[in-house]
Amino acid sequence: PPSEFFRQKLFVMSKLRVLVGVKRVVDYAVRVRVAPDASGVDLSSVKMSMNPFCEIACEEAIKLKEAGVASEVVAVSVGPKQSVETLRSALAMGADRAVHVATELRLDQELQPLATARLLAEVAKREAPDLVILGKQAIDGDNATTGPMLAELLQWPHVTFASKVDVAADGASATIDRETDAGIDTVKVDLPCLVTADLRLNTPRYPKLPNIMKAKKKPLEALDAADLGVDLTVVNAVTSVKAPPPRPPGVTVANVDELLDKLKTEAKVLS
Amino acid sequence: VGDPPNAPSPAQRRGRRLRLRKTMLRRGVLQRAAAQLGGVRAPRAALSTAAAVGSLSDEQTAVREMVRSFAENTIFPVAADHDKTHAFPWGIVEQLGELGLMGTCVPDDRGGAGLDAVSYAIAVEEISRGCASCGAIMSVHNSLYCDVVNAFGAQTTNHPDPASFFQTFLEPYARGAKVGCFGLSEPANGSDAAAASMTARRDGDDSWILNGTKAWTTNSIVASGAVVFATTDKALKHKGITCFVVDTSSPGFSFGAPEDKLGIKASTTANLILEDVRVPSTQILGREGEGFKIAMKALDAGRIGIAAQALGIAQASLDVAAKYAGDRTAFGKPIASLYAIQLKLSEMACRLEAARLLTWRAAAAKDAGEPYSKHAAMAKLCASEAATFCAHQAIQVLGGMGFVSDMPAERYYRDARITEIYEGTSEIMHLVVATNLLKEYAALDVALPAAPTVGKVGHDTATPGDEPSLRSAAVGGG
């Protein structure tokens, strides 16, 4: 029918614009230690890199661009000036533009998910994307809430823990697989929507050397968090941070009977 | 009245002027080519100055992060297998090509990544930290094939088609689709490079016939292209050597049997055998007779690559030793708490860091277009000796575990050894450094402090000005 024809024509002319959120966190390989004054994790002279789930989110956006589904990928990061390095990594992977929202608040404690979501909502209002992809959680806070909160602020549907994203040919909907404890959940969602990336969505690429050089020339817009009209008051203050108690060494048991005995009498988990 | 009897005629004088002009022009072209091989890029000079004092630019840091994580994720799991099976690591080489690492310094319009020498040194170091064989393959392919073809290709007068020359002999190599090798050493001469016994005789106007054997060629057997050096005019001695790039599938071109080496076992080393191989004149690099100069320039740049390879091996040795020392306990404590081990680790770290700064210094000088032969030789010398030292000490720190293939220390020990030999033995490096050093001293009148004028027998009654002394007139004896 003519309406379908014109809808498809419109899609061909305007592909999706994708916004990707990336966060600068402690590198996943670092063995973190708590600061001596129990104020938090010791971040001084610790290696920082892009959150692994954010890398996966960025990779998915770039794959959509390479597949011809997306026309532009914009990376956004909230954080100190070093977050610009994280944005450059996103640009080196293939993002077209970057937006840096500058704040000196500690990303793992003082800047909390709702504030982050509000800041990203402001950026989304300016960028007007069709699809927002975030990592499912950041490995410092492990809150996994920024994505759903942002979707609610934008009044968009959201799909979390995505392990497969297929955008329909007309760009009006997507079929997404979600990894849940009960198994793979397949949902169809209308665009615009927000997706959070899970581990098995893709394998992030290594940026090629020529792209690392080109990243420097791509546009990077700097905004200040204080100028975006978002209340950044710390709502939940962290009073102290402790390392988990060291695990006691395990015991080898001779047979199943001994195991049952220990579970009943020592661990007291069986009656 | 008139000219002296043996004066040159006007025609002779004109001829001389023309030849002089040609020589000056040629020198300019050679200098520009050398500068190209030296990777001159004015804007990067600032980048490289920072590297010269040990800090890296954002791009160099990004390159290091990317190559390091690639090496850790992709090369670490398979490096020991490469060493055991001696199989050429095609999978890794393909991925290096995709990442742009097989044409690191080749300009992007010729298929490369267009990076500076410091970034290249960083990349080779990180790859070699994973697998020294991959580092050797990458370094020889980049410095001794791609950069040489890029700097000196299609320079013969009236070259019919430079674009198609680079399409054939550079672009697929810079992309990593094909591998290149470098044949300079021969069975009868290694350090004595000027005595090239491979010959090239003219065949018609536009080709040459090459005959001879090249030895110890890294990347041979898998190579599609070879840069070789042949004597075109024996009477001119080292000025009679010409550099050619040869397609290894040419009739008459064959490879010898692969060498069974102590280390870098995954890299293929074999002889190149040329029997009446026809090479078109369009495949001369530089011009006829410039082969020796090109070889020396190529090796200067290659030394930075080999120094970087040695740094990677040294860093890997330090990593394994330090980690093991933290984990292994003896006498109730980790052995890292014992001074004997700490001394070893400190020595390893000092030599490694010093060698790294020397390597970056040489690479930064190359980027800035400054002469860098002395620093490249120093870098290769110090880095290779640091590698053998660190690998040796790493085995010592690991004890018995250092001697078995379960831990990589024994592989590092075997891989490190070649870095003191190829692309210029340590003895030749000392020669290069000393020659350059003495040239510097010969050019300057270096000040030395004066000898004492008081307290010597017979001098107490001397009046000032009696004694001639080296430049002490201003210092004054009174």
Side-chain angles (χ1 to χ4, degrees):
Chain A
S3 58
E4 190 64 37
F5 172 76
F6 283 117
R7 195 141 61 97
Q8 287 186 19
K9 261 278 192 230
L10 275 171
F11 174 65
V12 165
M13 289 190 302
S14 60
K15 298 184 199 169
L16 299 185
R17 293 185 58 253
V18 184
L19 183 68
V20 176
V22 297
K23 187 179 180 186
R24 178 175 181 264
V25 298
V26 177
D27 186 84
Y28 76 92
V30 167
R31 257 181 256 166
V32 290
R33 287 172 322 155
V34 178
D37 62 356
S39 61
V41 165
D42 185 8
L43 293 179
S44 56
S45 70
V46 138
K47 184 174 176 218
M48 308 288 274
S49 19
M50 194 192 290
N51 182 41
F53 297 108
C54 298
E55 276 180 359
I56 296 172
C58 198
E59 172 69 21
E60 194 63 21
I62 292 158
K63 280 171 74 168
L64 287 173
K65 193 170 82 150
E66 287 171 349
V69 173
S71 63
E72 195 189 23
V73 174
V74 180
V76 56
S77 189
V78 181
K81 63 172 160 40
Q82 292 91 333
S83 290
V84 169
E85 290 162 22
T86 313
L87 287 168
R88 292 275 173 225
S89 305
L91 292 170
M93 282 173 73
D96 301 294
R97 280 191 298 118
V99 176
H100 173 221
V101 180
T103 176
E104 289 303 315
L105 294 173
R106 242 184 104 133
L107 298 185
D108 62 340
Q109 287 182 346
E110 296 167 334
L111 183 70
Q112 284 158 7
L114 185 55
T116 311
R118 285 178 172 147
L119 289 168
L120 291 178
E122 285 303 311
V123 174
K125 281 181 202 146
R126 290 163 189 233
E127 293 292 331
D130 305 295
L131 180 63
V132 174
I133 313 182
L134 302 184
K136 72 170 178 181
Q137 66 199 60
I139 60 173
D140 51 6
D142 282 318
N143 292 299
T145 48
T146 308
M149 283 177 173
L150 174 57
E152 289 302 307
L153 289 170
L154 296 174
Q155 293 276 283
W156 286 5
H158 70 270
V159 181
T160 50
F161 317 134
S163 63
K164 194 155 174 278
V165 173
D166 277 322
V167 178
D170 63 359
S173 69
T175 305
I176 299 178
D177 283 357
R178 303 178 58 231
E179 281 192 17
T180 71
D181 289 341
I184 305 285
D185 185 20
T186 308
V187 298
K188 187 174 172 209
V189 60
D190 288 336
L191 263 56
C193 76
L194 183 143
V195 176
T196 72
D198 207 327
L199 187 63
R200 278 161 283 271
L201 179 58
N202 58 50
T203 308
R205 66 194 60 197
Y206 296 104
K208 298 184 188 185
L209 288 187
N211 293 342
I212 292 177
M213 307 316 281
K214 286 181 201 152
K216 197 115 200 203
K217 301 190 187 93
K218 291 185 180 174
L220 190 146
E221 190 190 343
L223 301 172
D224 201 299
D227 297 336
L228 292 180
V230 169
D231 184 8
L232 297 171
T233 331
V234 177
V235 175
N236 302 318
V238 171
T239 52
S240 81
V241 176
K242 284 187 305 202
R247 280 172 64 173
V251 168
T252 313
V253 294
N255 50 46
V256 174
D257 290 327
E258 204 187 323
L259 173 64
L260 284 173
D261 180 54
K262 285 201 188 289
L263 287 174
K264 279 182 196 159
T265 54
E266 288 182 25
K268 300 207 169 71
V269 293
L270 293 179
S271 50
Chain B
V1 167
D3 291 305
N6 292 327
S9 69
Q12 278 176 320
R13 280 205 299 268
R14 201 163 40 241
R16 230 178 256 178
R17 274 201 304 277
L18 277 170
R19 276 194 300 278
L20 185 64
R21 190 173 134 76
K22 271 175 91 171
T23 313
M24 295 310 290
L25 277 173
R26 183 69 199 134
R27 214 172 275 163
V29 169
L30 264 184
Q31 270 172 358
R32 278 197 294 284
Q36 206 173 356
L37 194 59
V40 179
R41 292 163 197 279
R44 293 204 194 287
L47 238 103
S48 295
T49 316
V53 291
S55 64
L56 299 176
S57 73
D58 290 338
E59 289 153 321
Q60 288 160 345
T61 313
V63 168
R64 182 201 243 179
E65 287 304 317
M66 186 275 277
V67 185
R68 179 174 289 183
S69 82
F70 172 77
E72 287 177 1
N73 296 330
T74 316
I75 299 185
F76 271 28
V78 293
D81 292 337
H82 290 164
D83 181 67
K84 272 258 179 298
T85 61
H86 306 201
F88 188 83
W90 279 116
I92 305 286
V93 168
E94 262 173 54
Q95 291 179 74
L96 290 178
E98 279 165 19
L99 292 173
L101 288 166
M102 293 298 264
T104 317
C105 300
V106 174
D108 22 0
D109 57 359
R110 286 183 181 168
L115 255 60
D116 57 304
V118 177
S119 302
Y120 168 63
I122 290 166
V124 174
E125 182 186 336
E126 294 299 333
I127 295 291
S128 303
R129 178 173 162 259
C131 171
S133 306
C134 294
I137 294 164
M138 181 185 159
S139 173
V140 167
H141 177 91
N142 271 287
S143 302
L144 298 183
Y145 182 85
C146 290
D147 291 350
V148 175
V149 174
N150 180 51
F152 297 107
Q155 275 181 4
T156 46
T157 22
N158 305 320
H159 194 279
D161 197 352
S164 113
F165 171 82
F166 289 116
Q167 265 300 101
T168 317
F169 287 103
L170 184 56
E171 199 260 330
Y173 296 82
R175 273 189 295 115
K178 291 187 178 177
V179 176
C181 67
F182 180 86
L184 176 65
S185 289
E186 294 175 355
N189 62 274
S191 294
D192 188 12
S197 71
M198 176 173 280
T199 55
R201 63 166 200 280
R202 252 186 223 285
D203 187 62
D205 275 338
D206 58 357
S207 35
W208 298 76
I209 303 285
L210 267 61
N211 270 289
T213 311
K214 292 294 181 189
W216 310 122
T217 309
T218 308
N219 288 352
S220 57
I221 298 178
V222 300
S224 307
V227 168
V228 297
F229 297 83
T231 299
T232 39
D233 190 339
K234 214 169 168 78
L236 296 174
K237 303 222 189 115
H238 70 272
K239 291 210 170 98
I241 299 178
T242 304
C243 181
F244 297 86
V245 60
V246 185
D247 186 334
T248 60
S249 59
S250 311
F253 196 112
S254 60
F255 296 109
E259 303 285 354
D260 182 19
K261 305 189 294 288
L262 173 66
I264 58 165
K265 294 195 184 215
S267 115
T268 53
T269 308
N271 288 1
L272 306 178
I273 302 162
L274 281 77
E275 292 164 310
D276 287 336
V277 176
R278 174 181 298 278
V279 180
S281 306
T282 50
Q283 283 168 219
I284 291 181
L285 298 180
R287 284 210 197 151
E288 206 184 318
E290 289 177 354
F292 188 76
K293 246 192 289 206
I294 292 174
M296 293 303 106
K297 292 202 165 85
L299 288 173
D300 276 343
R303 277 163 201 163
I304 294 177
I306 298 305
Q309 185 202 15
L311 292 175
I313 299 169
Q315 181 67 60
S317 306
L318 180 57
D319 290 347
V320 75
K323 190 151 200 281
Y324 187 84
D327 293 340
R328 171 79 174 178
T329 53
F331 309 109
K333 290 180 296 185
I335 60 173
S337 62
L338 300 167
Y339 181 64
I341 300 295
Q342 289 174 357
L343 183 60
K344 283 186 202 299
L345 295 175
S346 164
E347 275 272 10
M348 289 161 80
C350 287
R351 292 184 196 210
L352 168 58
E353 194 65 28
R356 185 176 286 135
L357 288 173
L358 248 181
T359 308
W360 289 359
R361 169 84 175 79
K366 179 175 188 269
D367 285 336
E370 295 160 7
Y372 66 97
S373 303
K374 184 178 86 161
H375 288 105
M378 287 168 132
K380 197 242 181 207
L381 176 63
C382 294
S384 54
E385 292 186 347
T388 43
F389 177 84
C390 290
H392 183 112
Q393 294 302 327
I395 293 188
Q396 201 62 18
V397 170
L398 265 59
M401 282 311 287
F403 204 64
V404 295
S405 59
D406 298 324
M407 293 289 263
E410 59 87 24
R411 189 177 88 236
Y412 300 149
Y413 186 76
R414 289 183 289 105
D415 287 342
R417 198 59 192 82
I418 189 62
T419 58
E420 287 192 49
I421 298 172
Y422 65 178
E423 290 200 39
T425 57
S426 295
E427 290 71 29
I428 295 291
M429 295 304 98
H430 280 298
L431 200 64
V432 172
V433 172
T435 313
N436 279 288
L437 195 73
L438 290 170
K439 247 192 264 182
E440 286 167 19
Y441 277 107
L444 300 172
D445 182 16
V446 172
L448 289 177
T453 54
V454 297
K456 269 168 119 173
V457 171
H459 277 209
D460 288 342
T461 52
T463 49
D466 274 359
E467 298 296 324
S469 50
L470 285 162
R471 299 176 57 162
S472 63
V475 175

